[in-house]
Amino acid sequence: MLKEKMQEALNEQINKEMYSSYLYLAMSAYSSSAGLPGFAHWFRVQAEEENMHAMRLFDYINDQDGRVKLKEIKEPPMDFGTAVEMFQQTLEHEQFITRSINELVELANAEKDDTTASFLQWYVEEQEEEEENDKEIIAKLRGVDKNEYVIPSVDQELAKRPSLR
Ligand code: OFO
């Protein structure tokens, strides 16, 4: 059985993951409008992944006989600047999510809730991977000053990301 404080914090995380999904969907739309179909595809897959992150929390709360509380999802921006700026914003957002996951782990430990602490490990690893991916893409995009073909080549590469279904 989930303690009230833990349940509240997990519900808050559902909202953050849903916002992440919304944010990346907005980036996908922005990329489409900028004529970057590979970026648009990558962010759309990312949006679906974030939805899955929210659903994992949703299922966990239900499995623990808790109560899911869905909160209002904030409106994301419509414009994200250059390709590199967009990925910088992605990385900053993921760093914010990582801090949030770490706080959840701290809370689970403080509440002596081992089941939730071990459930959260999946997110800890996922965050490491996501931050790494974003950093790699930023590094490639930074080559843009030196090579004007970087954006189209990264676009082609991002187009290859496998879809979730
Ligand atoms: Fe982008 O990661 Fe969710 O948790």
Side-chain angles (χ1 to χ4, degrees), residues 13 17 20 24 46 49-50 53 93-94 97 101 122-123 126-127 130:
Q13 191 64 32
E17 302 291 346
S20 304
Y24 297 142
Q46 192 58 31
E49 255 201 48
E50 296 301 346
H53 295 171
H93 181 70
E94 287 307 323
I97 295 291
I101 296 289
W122 182 88
Y123 287 86
E126 179 71 13
Q127 282 312 116
E130 290 201 341

Side-chain angles (χ1 to χ4, degrees), residues 16 20 23-25 27-28 53-54 57 65 67 70 74 76 83 87-88 90 98 103 118 128 132 134 139 144:
K16 287 178 187 158
S20 304
L23 176 67
Y24 297 142
L25 204 52
M27 288 181 176
S28 175
H53 295 171
L57 287 151
D65 297 324
R67 282 302 311 273
L70 298 177
K74 185 170 83 177
F87 265 99
Q88 262 157 353
T90 302
T98 300
E103 281 166 20
S118 100
E128 263 178 43
E132 260 333 291
D134 294 341
V144 87

